[in-house]
Every structure is written in C-alpha cells, then in structure tokens.
Amino acid sequence: MGVSVLSKSMPVQENQPWVSGTPADIISTVEFNHTGELLATGDKGGRVVIFQREPESKNAPHSQGEYDVYSTFQSHEPEFDYLKSLEIEEKINKIKWLPQQNAAHSLLSTNDKTIKLWKITERDKRPEGYNLKDEEGKLKDLSTVTSLQVPVLKPMDLMVEVSPRRIFANGHTYHINSISVNSDCETYMSADDLRINLWHLAITDRSFNIVDIKPANMEDLTEVITASEFHPHHCNLFVYSSSKGSLRLCDMRAAALCDKHSKLFEEPEDPSNRSFFSEIISSVSDVKFSHSGRYMLTRDYLTVKVWDLNMEARPIETYQVHDYLRSKLCSLYESDCIFDKFECAWNGSDSVIMTGAYNNFFRMFDRNTKRDVTLEASRESSKPRAVLKPRRVCLGGKRRRDDISVDSLDFTKKILHTAWHPAENIIAIAATNNLYIFQDKVNADAH
Amino acid sequence: MYLRELSVSVSTMFARGLKRKCDQEEVTEGFGTVPSYSLQRQSLLDMSLVKLQLCHMLVEPNLCRSVLIANTVRQIQEEMSRDGVWHPGAPQGAGRAPLDRLVSTEVLCRTARGPHGEQAVPESGESPSQTPAPGLCTVSLAQELRDPESGLWEMDSPRESRASFSKSLDQIFETLESKPPGSMEELLSDVESSYYDLDTVLTGVVSGSKPGLCGGLEGFTTAPSPPSSGCKSDLAELDHVVEILVET
C-alpha cells in the first residue's frame, strides 16, 4: 500500500516546552485548507494555530516542504451564560477554511455557541517617507519640512495579521457540532444537537433554520444530530447524521425546512450482535463526503463505512477499526469511552480512508487493495525521518514480539482528530496535546 | 478478584446479547457463580442512572451522551417490564434513601474494575474482611435493589429538588428578562429546553407525576404568551419560590 511514512512531530505551542496534562492545549480540531498549504488546529483553550508548508528548497532536497507555525491567535474566550448558570466552553469544536478568493485567507472557527469568521493577511511591506510624520509616527516639526516627498513601500519582516471579520452569535440553543461551507462560497451551515442553520457569510444577525428535529415535548427526545456536511459540488444538497446511526440527505430546493429527507441511509441492525449497547455504538460520530461527491464516509464506535449516494439500504463497504473492543463495551460504557467521537478522513483520490483509535493508534484502509494498517503517533516511535512501524493488537493466543494486548491499551490516549492533505499523502494527527504530521516516503524520495 | 470477573462477565453477556438465563438464578448461591442476567441488567441500569444524575456540572452537559444513556435506560426498563420484573407504580422507597443507593452502585462499579488502589468498604458494612467483602456487597445490593427499585428515581431527595428548583427558576428569569425582539420567540419556545428536563424526564416517565411545586413552575415556564401578560400571578409564584430557596 506504500504507507511507510516519514514523520515529524511538533508540539503545538512552539514557544513553550511540551507540558503534559495541560488541558488547554488539547487539540480539538485539525483542518487543511483547500490547497494544503495551510493547516489549522484549534484547541481546548480557544486558540487557533495555523501552520504553513515551507516551499521546497532546491538546496535541501530532503527537506520536503515542512510545516512551521505561521500564526497563533485566540479565537474564542470562555463565556458565562447567566440565564442558565452554565459556562460556555471556549474549546474550538471545528475549523473550516473558506476557498481563497484573494491574497487573504479566511476561516470559520466555532465553539459550542458562536461561529467566527477570521481573515488572515500578510504584511511584508510598509510605507516610509511620510511628509508629516516621522519614522515613529510622531508629527514632524513643520519648520523642518522643506520639500515634498512621495512615501514609498519598503520591504519589512513578514507579519501575519489576523482579524475577526464576522461573529455569528445567538444562532444556537444547543451545542454546535459541525460547520460546513457551501460550494457556492456564499453560505455555510452550522449544526447543533437538534437544529441546523444556514448562514450567509456576510450577514451575522440572521440565519435560516433548515433542519429542526426538536420534538414538541422534550420528553420524547430520543435522537440527536451528530454531524453534518454540505455536498462538495451540489450546493443544494447536504447530509446529517444521527445518534441512531442514520444519515439523511436533504435537498434545500425541496422545502425551506428540510425536515423531510430526500434520502435516508440506514443499515438494518444485525440481530446476532444485539445488546444494550447496540444503539450507542451505532451512533455516527463523523460524516464526510468523498472528494468526488459520489460517496460518504461515516464513523461509528467500532467501524468506518463507505456509503454510495445511490444506495440507501446499506453501506457498500464496512471496515473494522477495533473490533476487539466489542467484548469490552460494558467497561467502555462505564468509563464513558464509548461516547468518544472519532473523526474520519478521505485521501485526495478517495482511495484510502483513515480514522483514529485508542493508544494513539490510527488506522488506514485502502479501498482498492482491501489492506489496512495500524500506526502509532507517539514521541518515542516518531523521530524525524523515521519510518513508522505497523502495529498490531493481539487478542491473546499467539503473540508476536511487538504486539500490544487489548488489556494494555491506553484508553486515555485517543486520536479523535485527523486530517488528510487534499492532494498529497500528508496527514495530520492530533494526539491530545501533540500534533504529528506524517508524509509519504514515496513523495519525499521523488524530490 | 471476584468482582473483576463479574465485570468481565457482565461485558461479555451484554456485548454478545446472550439469551438470558432464568431469573431464578441468584448470586446467593455462592461466590463462584456468574451473576444472573437480571442482576447484571440491574447493575447496568443503576450505572446508567448514576451517569445521568452525576451531571450537575458547571458546563452544560453533552446532550447526545445524555440521550444515548436515557435510551439505554428505557431499553432496560422495557425489557424488565416485559419480564414482569419492573413495576412502574411500585411503592415508594422504604429503607435507605435513593442517594445512598446510588453511592452503593458507584462502589460496585469501582471495585468491579479490579485493583485500582482502593478497595472500598461496602456501604452496608456487612462483612469484616476485605476479600469476601466485594462478593457480599453484591449480594446485599442485589437484595436491596430488587425490592423498591422505583425508589431510585424518586425526586424527593433534597439535592435533586433543589437542582430542579434552580433550573426552573432560571427559566422564569429567562422569560421575564427583556430580550431583543428577534430572539424573543426563539427564547420562549426554548424555555423548557434546558438539559435538566432530561433528568425530570426519567422521573416523569416512571412516577408519572412531579412534586407539586415543580408542577406549578412547569406550567409557568411552558406558557407561550409574552411575559407582559399574567405577570402579577407569576410574580407572586416567583416570590413564593424565592422564599423557599432562601429558606433552604
């Protein structure tokens, strides 16, 4: 499959030594922009850190464009909802890049309640030679001014400036779990547990509610929205997933309120595997359209599934992420691990899918060869330029030397957030406080 | 050691969805036997209720998680009803307060995980030594839980009532406070949408009724009319509630 990879690991906070157990540094979302040049991470402390890929240097051919910190800013602050006497966490739930339309980059970042549009600009020149002001900006003594000069732009050290351009507040009663920019580049949607709103990027005081699954009587609530995404090409289509494991494809042309789905994707339950935990493990934690727009990828607790938009009855492919946990569901329920929300990702050509697991493992599945691999993101096994070694979890019985047994898995080390470069085989893995960026060896050698 | 095996067996049975054994099999037979399906099911139910109850946090709890746990509780209750084991109208909890029972459940879960530092002495304090204590703890718990199970979701524990009072009070303030016009309707329609309704949901499902004062507040908060009408009577009720809160 060619998944031997190079690795470079870096702590998110470059200025500070890596401090274990600092809750605010836990990475909560990772997202490449549309070209892959920029990589944004959000953390529990409300900060956004953007990495930029260095252009490849002819002098150092082995320095395949590496990612360095480009900008850091505080996106969200903790707030207090006085009416409900509850805190509103500043944790960044999702970041989505807008397609680049000019020299500036823009992204949307959201916490539980408020979405913000940030504009990132570069400044590498500054005007010098003002007539009325001196170098420091103080007014000149007019008697010393004897001639007129035209200010000229002189180069300066690159400065990255970030400014909040829009704040989309008060749109959600419940916790926002997803945002997705429409292919029309004018609108985007935000989804919370019970509702989905459609916004215009330029209008902050109004949004349209397009899905509402809140029952008239909250006592009847049995299902919530877990994730949603716009179709990559059809601006009228979007999908949302539920805690009962179903996907609903909605067409905004059909009605203003898309409560009636156009298509319902649901796999019938396997009666032989039925238990009290069946519903919980069927809850979809992430849904992603393929780049082609033909397929959808979903993640539930134990599997990733590929769905064909043309077939609602069942997924076309199912991959087991960590089936060895099936017999441990009760303890995982007790420890709340069963509620962990793992994300999933497609590669650029939609041929490989990736998702995270426990013990800092992440898994990749090649859809064509049907081969899969388990890799580990950890400081010990990831020296720069090292090739990652495939890992194996053994269930008892025959055990090879480097195998990990199920009982020694560390469930506090979970890889929930992963991202794949839109075109190349570069992946970003968030392991608690650390961000790992892995590149395909094949790519590196070719340069 | 025994309780660790208990935990493993519980997960195995639940995960594989094995056909349940006859309800007559009980743990009282001896320490070596696998606990019966009904006991395991009861443990799961208790654990689930503890999870829902232990949500009095500063941050609004995860609605998805709560809904999934509530659905699990409902499933267990439905199965227990079908088995004729659970009766919604069972007499009120005699003996220990519901809160104590919840703590006991937590103890069961903790020791069940094996050696994690603490070998918690069981609440019942029935056995003198450490080793057989977990086993006895299970037995006594089973006996207690089998009887007035509905006591678990009674709302008369003071901590519970106070929480729902303060939440209902928050809802009252929500409706009375002036808000920008655009969000008024949204605000009013969502007045009853606080998470803690889920708490009362479970209690409501079982007992079918809520304590009188909360019922009065409930009627107030779900009123769709704008706050300007009927303010006087509402304010009087508000005064009454504030009085109670101040006293407690």
Side-chain angles (χ1 to χ4, degrees):
Chain A
M1 179 162 119
V3 190
S4 39
V5 291
L6 296 180
S7 79
K8 172 177 169 148
S9 75
M10 61 189 84
V12 175
Q13 291 293 333
E14 285 248 334
N15 302 327
Q16 298 166 18
W18 176 63
V19 180
S20 74
T22 312
D25 288 340
I26 294 173
I27 302 169
S28 49
T29 187
V30 187
E31 188 83 4
F32 280 99
N33 76 336
H34 295 276
T35 60
E37 183 211 349
L38 298 175
L39 174 67
T41 63
D43 67 22
K44 203 155 180 278
R47 274 175 314 234
V48 171
V49 181
I50 303 177
F51 297 86
Q52 184 187 43
R53 193 175 185 197
E54 295 306 317
E56 288 152 36
S57 156
K58 289 192 194 118
N59 299 333
H62 289 296
S63 166
Q64 172 77 10
E66 292 182 350
Y67 285 83
D68 292 320
V69 176
Y70 178 66
S71 173
T72 304
F73 61 95
Q74 188 74 33
S75 171
H76 286 72
E77 298 277 0
E79 286 172 46
F80 194 78
D81 182 338
Y82 291 97
L83 296 179
K84 295 184 184 173
S85 295
L86 292 168
E87 283 182 4
I88 300 172
E89 278 190 312
E90 67 274 30
K91 172 168 74 85
I92 309 294
N93 292 338
K94 281 282 164 11
I95 291 173
K96 283 283 144 73
W97 290 92
L98 267 55
Q100 193 177 6
Q101 285 169 339
N102 48 42
H105 292 100
S106 300
L107 60 79
L108 289 169
S109 68
T110 186
N111 68 348
D112 283 338
K113 298 283 184 177
T114 305
I115 308 132
K116 294 186 183 180
L117 174 65
W118 294 90
K119 194 164 179 184
I120 302 129
T121 48
E122 286 184 7
R123 189 193 292 271
D124 62 354
K125 296 181 191 54
R126 71 154 179 261
E128 275 178 26
Y130 283 106
N131 288 292
L132 299 176
K133 287 187 291 181
D134 66 14
E135 294 291 312
E136 282 117 51
K138 285 195 296 208
L139 285 173
K140 280 185 192 172
D141 180 3
L142 283 179
S143 58
T144 63
V145 179
T146 51
S147 61
L148 276 179
Q149 57 180 351
V150 179
V152 289
L153 288 174
K154 294 258 173 76
M156 59 177 261
D157 288 338
L158 179 66
M159 210 166 68
V160 179
E161 296 172 338
V162 182
S163 62
R165 284 300 219 231
R166 306 265 190 276
I167 296 180
F168 304 91
N170 300 319
H172 289 277
T173 308
Y174 302 97
H175 291 179
I176 298 173
N177 52 57
S178 323
I179 47 174
S180 176
V181 184
N182 201 341
S183 52
D184 66 8
C185 302
E186 283 187 3
T187 58
Y188 76 94
M189 70 152 129
S190 55
D192 66 30
D193 295 312
L194 298 179
R195 297 194 177 97
I196 302 180
N197 292 337
L198 181 71
W199 304 81
H200 191 285
L201 284 165
I203 299 169
T204 59
D205 61 353
R206 231 179 312 150
S207 74
F208 291 98
N209 177 239
I210 53 176
V211 173
D212 188 339
I213 64 167
K214 179 171 179 258
N217 191 348
M218 279 297 272
E219 290 183 11
D220 299 332
L221 178 65
T222 58
E223 193 173 9
V224 300
I225 298 169
T226 51
S228 75
E229 199 182 45
F230 266 120
H231 191 279
H233 311 310
H234 303 299
C235 57
N236 55 298
L237 289 180
F238 66 92
V239 68
Y240 71 90
S241 59
S242 84
S243 55
K244 287 200 171 172
S246 64
L247 301 171
R248 283 173 174 79
L249 187 73
C250 300
D251 189 335
M252 293 195 293
R253 298 172 302 188
L257 187 62
C258 301
D259 276 357
K260 286 196 173 58
H261 50 264
S262 296
K263 291 198 181 189
L264 172 64
F265 299 81
E266 214 169 21
E267 185 172 24
E269 204 179 0
D270 178 7
S272 64
N273 265 335
R274 176 110 186 83
S275 75
F276 284 123
F277 307 111
S278 295
E279 183 184 311
I280 299 178
I281 62 170
S282 75
S283 174
V284 173
S285 52
D286 193 17
V287 62
K288 294 262 167 51
F289 277 105
S290 64
H291 292 91
S292 63
R294 165 87 188 263
Y295 303 103
M296 293 182 296
L297 179 66
T298 59
R299 174 70 154 99
D300 51 65
Y301 193 63
L302 297 178
T303 70
V304 279
K305 294 177 175 156
V306 177
W307 302 77
D308 186 326
L309 280 185
N310 300 320
M311 186 164 82
E312 299 166 69
R314 73 190 74 81
I316 55 168
E317 294 156 32
T318 300
Y319 301 93
Q320 302 294 332
V321 180
H322 38 205
D323 201 52
Y324 45 78
L325 296 183
R326 200 176 284 274
S327 57
K328 312 249 175 238
L329 291 178
C330 191
S331 11
L332 292 164
Y333 177 73
E334 193 191 343
S335 64
D336 265 11
C337 282
I338 208 174
F339 302 107
D340 287 335
K341 291 190 195 277
F342 292 94
E343 291 172 8
C344 53
W346 296 90
N347 74 337
S349 58
D350 299 334
S351 59
V352 183
I353 55 187
M354 169 172 72
T355 189
Y358 293 107
N359 210 75
N360 278 352
F361 288 168
F362 59 99
R363 304 260 286 136
M364 288 194 210
F365 303 91
D366 189 318
R367 296 179 60 213
N368 300 323
T369 65
K370 299 300 179 202
R371 282 163 61 186
D372 62 84
V373 70
T374 304
L375 299 168
E376 183 178 359
S378 73
R379 289 189 151 233
E380 295 79 43
S381 61
S382 306
K383 304 287 185 305
R385 308 275 166 267
V387 174
L388 286 183
K389 197 176 51 181
R391 307 308 308 266
R392 222 172 76 109
V393 178
C394 70
L395 295 129
K398 244 196 193 170
R399 197 198 145 145
R400 285 186 228 156
R401 201 162 58 107
D402 290 322
D403 284 2
I404 313 271
S405 82
V406 185
D407 295 314
S408 45
L409 288 175
D410 188 343
F411 289 94
T412 61
K413 293 188 183 160
K414 43 194 101 178
I415 293 188
L416 304 172
H417 312 289
T418 60
W420 205 309
H421 189 287
E424 298 183 38
N425 277 346
I426 304 173
I427 56 179
I429 311 283
T432 320
N433 293 26
N434 282 319
L435 179 72
Y436 293 87
I437 299 178
F438 299 116
Q439 301 184 19
D440 197 334
K441 191 168 182 284
V442 174
N443 264 358
D445 284 349
H447 294 85
Chain B
M1 207 54 210
Y2 164 77
L3 265 184
R4 187 183 190 147
E5 285 158 9
L6 162 67
S7 156
V8 170
S9 319
V10 166
S11 10
T12 313
M13 281 196 78
F14 282 126
R16 291 195 198 145
L18 287 176
K19 207 80 174 93
R20 50 189 169 78
K21 298 176 191 159
C22 171
D23 280 342
Q24 299 313 310
E25 281 177 42
E26 292 297 358
V27 181
T28 43
E29 286 174 7
F31 299 135
T33 53
V34 174
S36 71
Y37 176 83
S38 63
L39 176 63
Q40 293 172 20
R41 183 175 61 188
Q42 185 65 56
S43 298
L44 186 63
L45 180 62
D46 298 338
M47 196 199 305
S48 304
L49 291 170
V50 168
K51 279 182 181 301
L52 283 174
Q53 300 271 3
L54 292 174
C55 280
H56 298 287
M57 299 183 291
L58 273 177
V59 184
E60 204 161 4
N62 188 328
L63 185 62
C64 181
R65 175 181 173 276
S66 307
V67 166
L68 288 172
I69 299 173
N71 289 352
T72 308
V73 167
R74 221 172 268 125
Q75 274 181 62
I76 299 173
Q77 287 173 359
E78 277 165 15
E79 194 181 276
M80 286 168 88
S81 288
R82 281 198 301 271
D83 293 350
V85 171
W86 177 60
H87 309 286
Q92 310 247 328
R96 297 165 55 174
L99 217 56
D100 291 342
R101 211 160 286 137
L102 290 177
V103 172
S104 301
T105 309
E106 204 186 6
V107 164
L108 174 66
C109 286
R110 214 185 298 139
T111 51
R113 239 176 297 172
H116 270 272
E118 41 185 6
Q119 278 286 322
V121 179
E123 278 281 309
S124 54
E126 288 200 18
S127 77
S129 64
Q130 284 279 350
T131 326
L136 282 176
C137 176
T138 316
V139 171
S140 61
L141 199 57
Q143 286 166 347
E144 294 207 354
L145 292 175
R146 213 182 315 140
D147 189 28
E149 298 159 37
S150 63
L152 273 168
W153 31 82
E154 273 303 321
M155 260 191 55
D156 48 17
S157 72
R159 198 179 92 186
E160 182 66 34
S161 308
R162 206 178 302 132
S164 50
F165 278 165
S166 68
K167 288 311 140 197
S168 304
L169 200 61
D170 287 342
Q171 287 160 8
I172 292 171
F173 283 126
E174 221 174 60
T175 58
L176 288 180
E177 191 169 306
S178 60
K179 280 267 154 184
S183 58
M184 180 67 82
E185 252 162 81
E186 167 81 359
L187 187 70
L188 286 172
S189 66
D190 287 335
V191 142
E192 74 277 21
S193 68
S194 152
Y195 157 76
Y196 287 85
D197 277 340
L198 218 53
D199 233 17
T200 56
V201 159
L202 277 172
T203 59
V205 163
V206 181
S207 61
S209 65
K210 295 167 183 147
L213 198 54
C214 273
L217 292 174
E218 168 95 354
F220 181 85
T221 56
T222 53
S225 56
S228 51
S229 67
C231 251
K232 249 189 182 167
S233 56
D234 301 330
L235 283 172
E237 204 160 46
L238 178 59
D239 282 343
H240 181 52
V241 169
V242 171
E243 242 176 82
I244 295 169
L245 277 182
V246 166
E247 274 155 25
T248 53

